[in-house]
Amino acid sequence: MASGKEQEQQGFTQAKCVKVHGPIIVGAGPSGLAAAACLSQQGVPSLILEKSDCIASLWQQRTYDRLKLHLPKQFCELPLLGFPANFPKYPTKSQFISYMESYASHFNIHPKFNQAVKKAEYDRVKGIWRVQTEHLEYHSRWLIAATGENAEPVIPEIAGCGKFKGAILHTSEYNSGSKFKNQRVLVIGCGNSGMEVSLDLCRHNAIPHMVVRNTVHVLPREMFGMSTFGVAMALLKWLPLRLVDKLLLLGANLTLGNTDQLGLKRPKTGPIELKNVTGKTPVLDVGALSQIKSGKIKVMEGVKEITKNGVKFMDGQEREFESIILATGYKSNVPTWLKGCDFFTKDGMPKTPFPKGWKGGNGLYTVGFTRRGLLGTASDAVKIAHDIAGEWKAAKDSIRSCNSHVIIHLDHDGAK
C-alpha cells in the first residue's frame, strides 16, 4: 500500500474520503442536471460536484444580456420536463436559467457547490473512481463527466496583446454594449457570439468591426415562417444529409442573398455535414447581416498584430480601436482533471464519435460532448441512466441474494 507521501506525489493528498453509493457527476450545467434527473427516475442516487456557486454557471455568469436560445424551445428541452407553455418560441437568458432552476427543484437535485475537481482517476485495484476536490476525496463505482464542450474560454495568442492600451475581453466577460457607446470596437470572431455581440454593439451606438478569419455558414434563423433547424430535422428523416444541406443553402441564398459579397465566404462542405464532422455551428442570423449590409458592422480580415492604439490586419490595413472583444469560443476542460484515461482526445472530446461517445470503460460516462447541443445532451443522459440503472439493480439484487443466503445458513445452524 502506498504511503501518504507516495499518494501525494501521485496527485492524491490524504484528504477525507467520502463513499458515494451512486455515480459522481462532475458539472452542474444542463448536462449534469439531465444526467441526475434521468438517474433519479431510475431510482439511482447521484452526487453532483460543481466548481462554481450555482447551477448552469455558464449561462448565469458568462453570457451576455441579450442572449436567447438560437433554436426553438422544443429542441432545447431536457429529459422528463419541458419548458413552461407560456415561454416564447426562443426563450431568453433569464427564462432559460429559470427553467434550469425549476428543473433542479422538480427532481430534488442539490449539487455540492464550490467543489472544483482537481483530479479524477480510476483505481484499478479497488475498482473505483477517486475524485479529489480541495478538501475531500470522493469514491464511486461510476464517474460521469458533464463539464461539456464549453467549459473554458478559448483565449488565442495574438502578437502585440500586451501593447494595447484599451480593454481586451472575452465574450464570457461581456454583458452589454452600453459600456461601449461611441467606441470603435473590434470583435474577433464571426460565430453566433461574434455576430450577436456586434449587433448588440450597434444597438448601443458603438462602432463595431468584426474579424472574419475563416469561411462561415450564415443561415436565417427561420425560413418561410418555420425554424431553419426544424426544417432541417424534418428533411433529414426523408432525404440524404448532403441533399438537405443543398436545400438549406438554396433557401439561405433566397432569403439572405450571396454572403460571399459581404466578406462571409461559405465553406465547401454543407452546414449540417460540417457541424457533424467538426462541431463548427452555422450562424443563425438574428439581425447582424442587415447591419453588415448597411455598413454599420464592418467586416475585416484576419489580425496580423495588435498595436498600442489598434490593430494591423493581414490585408495591410491598420485601424484604431478603443476596445477588443474576443468572440473566440469555448473548449472542454476534461484534460485538466481527468487523468490516466485514454477515452478523450487532447482537446477533451471523446475519441468515439456520436452516437456512441457517451460510454467509456470502467464505469466512465460522458454527457454534453456530442456537438449536437441540448438535443445530444438529452439523448446521452437517457442512455447513461439506463445503463447505470442496470448495473445498480444487479448489484442490489446480488446483495439481497447474499443476505438471504446468510439468513438461511444461520437458520440451519440454529436448527442443529
Side-chain angles (χ1 to χ4, degrees):
M1 182 175 177
S3 67
K5 187 175 181 180
E6 287 172 333
Q7 285 185 339
E8 196 160 345
Q9 287 173 344
Q10 293 167 5
F12 286 96
T13 60
Q14 286 196 311
K16 180 182 176 184
C17 293
V18 178
K19 184 178 180 181
V20 180
H21 293 289
I24 296 171
I25 301 172
V26 182
S31 298
L33 297 180
C38 290
L39 286 164
S40 176
Q41 190 203 32
Q42 296 278 357
V44 181
S46 62
L47 174 71
I48 299 181
L49 300 177
E50 168 57 44
K51 69 177 182 179
S52 72
D53 60 359
C54 63
I55 64 168
S57 62
L58 176 64
W59 280 83
Q60 297 215 48
Q61 299 172 353
R62 291 183 286 165
T63 51
Y64 39 93
D65 296 343
R66 65 162 281 116
L67 180 64
K68 293 183 179 181
L69 291 180
H70 293 121
L71 305 181
K73 61 184 180 181
Q74 66 265 32
F75 298 113
C76 301
E77 293 178 340
L78 297 187
L80 309 173
L81 184 69
F83 283 95
N86 63 336
F87 274 25
K89 186 176 184 178
Y90 300 98
T92 64
K93 169 184 173 176
S94 62
Q95 287 171 329
F96 185 76
I97 291 168
S98 171
Y99 170 59
M100 289 289 96
E101 289 173 339
S102 297
Y103 191 88
S105 176
H106 181 84
F107 293 103
N108 201 28
I109 300 170
H110 301 286
K112 285 191 174 294
F113 296 116
N114 301 308
Q115 293 286 308
V117 171
K118 305 294 183 184
K119 183 178 181 180
E121 191 167 18
Y122 186 68
D123 186 326
R124 297 183 183 279
V125 176
K126 296 182 178 179
I128 59 168
W129 285 93
R130 300 171 65 192
V131 181
Q132 187 177 19
T133 62
E134 187 173 356
H135 301 296
L136 295 171
E137 184 176 309
Y138 298 89
H139 293 176
S140 174
R141 183 174 168 179
W142 303 279
L143 175 66
I144 302 174
T147 46
E149 58 206 47
N150 298 313
E152 303 290 343
V154 173
I155 309 294
E157 292 184 11
I158 304 174
C161 273
K163 301 176 186 175
F164 189 61
K165 67 179 185 180
I168 300 178
L169 65 153
H170 190 269
T171 49
S172 59
E173 303 172 272
Y174 177 93
N175 296 316
S176 165
S178 58
K179 299 176 183 177
F180 301 90
K181 187 176 181 180
N182 299 322
Q183 284 191 28
R184 292 172 63 88
V185 182
L186 181 67
V187 179
I188 299 179
C190 62
N192 281 298
S193 293
M195 289 279 195
E196 285 205 42
V197 166
S198 296
L199 178 61
D200 191 52
L201 288 166
C202 268
R203 291 177 175 172
H204 286 90
N205 296 315
I207 307 162
H209 293 60
M210 184 177 67
V211 172
V212 180
R213 295 169 292 173
N214 303 304
T215 55
V216 59
H217 278 301
V218 182
L219 304 175
R221 186 166 69 170
E222 298 205 340
M223 286 184 180
F224 316 115
M226 297 175 285
S227 82
T228 300
F229 186 79
V231 169
M233 291 300 99
L235 291 175
L236 283 170
K237 292 178 181 179
W238 306 100
L239 302 173
L241 183 149
R242 290 187 177 178
L243 178 56
V244 173
D245 269 343
K246 287 180 180 179
L247 292 172
L248 290 179
L249 292 176
L250 177 63
N253 287 333
L254 289 171
T255 308
L256 304 176
N258 185 357
T259 59
D260 284 25
Q261 297 173 354
L262 303 173
L264 303 168
K265 295 181 180 178
R266 291 193 182 279
K268 292 180 180 178
T269 306
I272 300 175
E273 185 179 0
L274 190 68
K275 169 70 172 169
N276 289 349
V277 173
T278 69
K280 188 174 181 181
T281 304
V283 172
L284 295 175
D285 180 55
V286 293
L289 211 60
S290 65
Q291 300 298 330
I292 293 172
K293 289 176 181 177
S294 70
K296 290 183 179 179
I297 298 174
K298 295 176 174 57
V299 173
M300 309 298 294
E301 290 194 14
V303 173
K304 181 179 181 181
E305 180 187 359
I306 295 176
T307 64
K308 181 180 178 181
N309 297 310
V311 169
K312 291 180 180 177
F313 295 93
M314 291 295 187
D315 61 359
Q317 289 190 68
E318 185 170 355
R319 301 280 181 97
E320 290 188 355
F321 297 100
E322 283 103 334
S323 299
I324 297 173
I325 298 172
L326 303 173
T328 45
Y330 293 85
K331 63 182 179 180
S332 166
N333 68 3
V334 168
T336 66
W337 57 269
L338 184 62
K339 305 300 179 184
C341 173
D342 63 357
F343 183 69
F344 285 85
T345 66
K346 64 179 181 179
D347 297 322
M349 297 295 289
K351 290 180 180 178
T352 307
F354 179 85
K356 296 183 179 180
W358 57 274
K359 184 177 182 179
N362 300 318
L364 175 66
Y365 297 86
T366 75
V367 58
F369 297 88
T370 63
R371 291 187 169 128
R372 284 161 174 77
L374 292 170
L375 269 180
T377 289
S379 170
D380 281 358
V382 171
K383 292 174 186 174
I384 289 167
H386 184 266
D387 199 65
I388 292 176
E391 292 186 18
W392 172 265
K393 289 168 185 174
K396 287 184 73 175
D397 290 344
S398 177
I399 291 169
R400 286 196 195 99
S401 176
C402 287
N403 289 340
S404 175
H405 178 75
V406 169
I407 291 168
I408 292 168
H409 185 72
L410 287 172
D411 285 347
H412 285 175
D413 285 348
K416 290 177 183 177

